[in-house]
Amino acid sequence: MTALHLRGEVLPEGRTRDLWVRDGVLSTSPVPDAVTVFDGGYLLPGPVDSHCHVGVGEHGPVELSEAAAQAETDRAAGTLLLRDCGAPVDTRPLQQREDLPRIVRAGRHLARPKRYIPHLAEQLDDPEELPSAVERQAKNGDGWVKLVGDWIDRSVGDLAPLWPDEVLERAIAAAHDHGARVTAHVFGPDALPGLLNAGIDCIEHGTGLDDASVELMARRRVALVPTLINVENFPSFAAAATKYPDYAAHMNKLYRESERTVGKAIEAGVPVYAGTDAGGGIAHGRLVDEVIALNRVGMSTGQALASATWDARSWLGFSGLEDGAAADLVGYEADPRGNLEVLRNPKRIVLRGRVVG
């Protein structure tokens, strides 16, 4: 493997430094015969999409070759770490490819029959099966388990929780016993108290958060990945629900209030990370759009940048740009702290110590 040399202003510390790469590892000490691949500009630790679905396409599960193409699209945009929040396709072979972004897998969604998108989730006939299903997914994943917390219940015509509170307590405890964290898809407000009181680690979407839920998440450091660019689809979800007017009205209300809801969470100090929900209706490679959306609803430029880089990497257990860290980094000609649009044009992409862009 060719040794590399990069020089630029290293973020977040904001100091111009020389970095060397040998055998896929960063070094602050000179490496003989290193090839300079970046000189001048700004260096960021590899950006993170904290909510995507590698292996899910517009019509459901896809072949592994298409899943690889999705990951390649993310890599080309400069995204080097993907938190896969549930997929029916076994993407472990993609983790062996050194040219693809690192993938943190959550296994399959866990849901009830007819209470999630068809063909994506493991469907449990009896809610009492949830703790054992969580154990299976914890063993098969990379430290995360994904629950469907709420979905339309056609018997009531609106969003409703899927799981009894007591079952959630046992299920989340089972995940923690196996060293896994738990996250949940949640649109509305009703499922949140049970999930939060059961000790969940993260909420996806979170458009139904109220003041009490926000306060609890901030106090317990429960993360939020709001997927704002997917929330833009709520009006179309509502328009398609012609048989369920209460659900349609609810989704439109959640959409109208979504920016204020996420803004309140940011202001309260809830840990918020950038995730696109790519897969299905959202194209891969759109992390920058989500970062800009977070800035629009209340994050400073620096906070929005951190939510997709150094803070997100730390949250997922990955290093930044320090000596001995994995050499996953992206170089930009201009300072993204001054203009987040800079993130759309990476000048140099290094993944696992190899130049990939």
Side-chain angles (χ1 to χ4, degrees):
M1 183 184 296
T2 303
L4 307 177
H5 166 249
L6 304 94
R7 178 176 174 80
E9 186 169 331
V10 176
L11 301 180
E13 67 183 82
R15 184 164 61 94
T16 298
R17 289 201 287 141
D18 292 278
L19 296 175
W20 287 266
V21 179
R22 180 167 54 189
D23 298 326
V25 177
L26 287 174
S27 173
T28 55
S29 300
V31 174
D33 301 320
V35 176
T36 299
V37 295
F38 187 83
D39 190 359
Y42 298 80
L43 293 168
L44 276 177
V48 183
D49 188 338
S50 289
H51 182 135
C52 66
H53 303 279
V54 179
V56 177
E58 185 177 355
H59 302 293
V62 300
E63 297 294 329
L64 195 61
S65 59
E66 186 172 344
Q70 293 171 342
E72 289 168 352
T73 297
D74 285 317
R75 181 197 65 203
T79 305
L80 302 185
L81 176 58
L82 308 175
R83 176 175 172 256
D84 189 301
C85 279
V89 177
D90 184 356
T91 56
R92 281 175 287 192
L94 302 185
Q95 294 176 310
Q96 307 308 312
R97 285 184 49 175
E98 298 203 345
D99 63 318
L100 294 182
R102 300 179 193 271
I103 302 175
V104 177
R105 298 167 45 259
R108 293 193 72 171
H109 301 75
L110 295 174
R112 302 288 310 284
K114 298 183 179 180
R115 297 294 303 279
Y116 195 55
I117 301 168
H119 313 303
L120 297 189
E122 178 182 348
Q123 297 185 1
L124 308 181
D125 292 323
D126 185 347
E128 289 292 329
E129 300 175 46
L130 185 62
S132 60
V134 163
E135 288 186 17
R136 286 196 304 275
Q137 296 300 330
K139 292 175 182 177
N140 291 332
D142 300 321
W144 283 94
V145 176
K146 174 71 174 292
L147 309 181
V148 178
D150 70 0
W151 196 253
I152 186 172
D153 183 338
R154 289 165 177 81
S155 67
V156 299
D158 200 355
L159 295 168
L162 273 70
W163 315 103
D165 291 355
E166 185 273 332
V167 170
L168 285 171
E169 292 175 7
R170 289 189 282 117
I172 292 172
H176 291 167
D177 287 345
H178 285 81
R181 290 182 278 183
V182 183
T183 192
H185 160 109
V186 192
F187 283 163
D190 294 345
L192 286 164
L195 290 162
L196 293 172
N197 289 328
I200 201 159
D201 303 283
C202 181
I203 296 295
E204 312 295 326
H205 317 302
T207 43
L209 289 169
D210 60 16
D211 290 347
S213 296
V214 166
E215 188 279 329
L216 186 58
M217 290 178 69
R219 177 157 46 87
R220 295 185 178 176
R221 307 299 293 166
V222 178
L224 172 66
V225 185
T227 67
L228 288 166
I229 63 172
N230 186 37
V231 173
E232 292 296 321
N233 289 319
F234 279 20
S236 64
F237 299 162
T242 55
K243 294 182 180 179
Y244 304 101
D246 290 345
Y247 168 80
H250 196 176
M251 294 300 287
N252 280 323
K253 179 176 183 290
L254 293 171
Y255 171 70
R256 289 192 303 271
E257 297 176 354
S258 59
E259 292 196 0
R260 183 174 63 86
T261 299
V262 177
K264 287 167 60 177
I266 293 167
E267 184 178 2
V270 174
V272 177
Y273 301 101
T276 64
D277 210 356
I282 301 292
H284 284 260
R286 292 191 59 194
L287 179 61
V288 180
D289 292 332
E290 184 67 19
V291 173
I292 290 171
L294 288 169
N295 178 231
R296 185 184 69 243
V297 302
M299 280 190 167
S300 68
T301 303
Q303 287 174 320
L305 192 59
S307 77
T309 53
W310 51 85
D311 281 355
R313 293 182 69 86
S314 177
W315 178 55
L316 295 177
F318 289 79
S319 55
L321 299 183
E322 58 260 19
D323 195 66
D328 298 345
L329 63 161
V330 182
Y332 301 89
E333 290 186 331
D335 188 347
R337 295 172 300 181
N339 182 1
L340 292 170
E341 292 285 348
V342 167
L343 297 172
R344 298 194 190 279
N345 298 295
K347 181 179 180 181
R348 179 63 69 218
I349 303 172
V350 176
L351 174 63
R352 296 184 177 89
R354 293 178 170 85
V355 174
V356 296

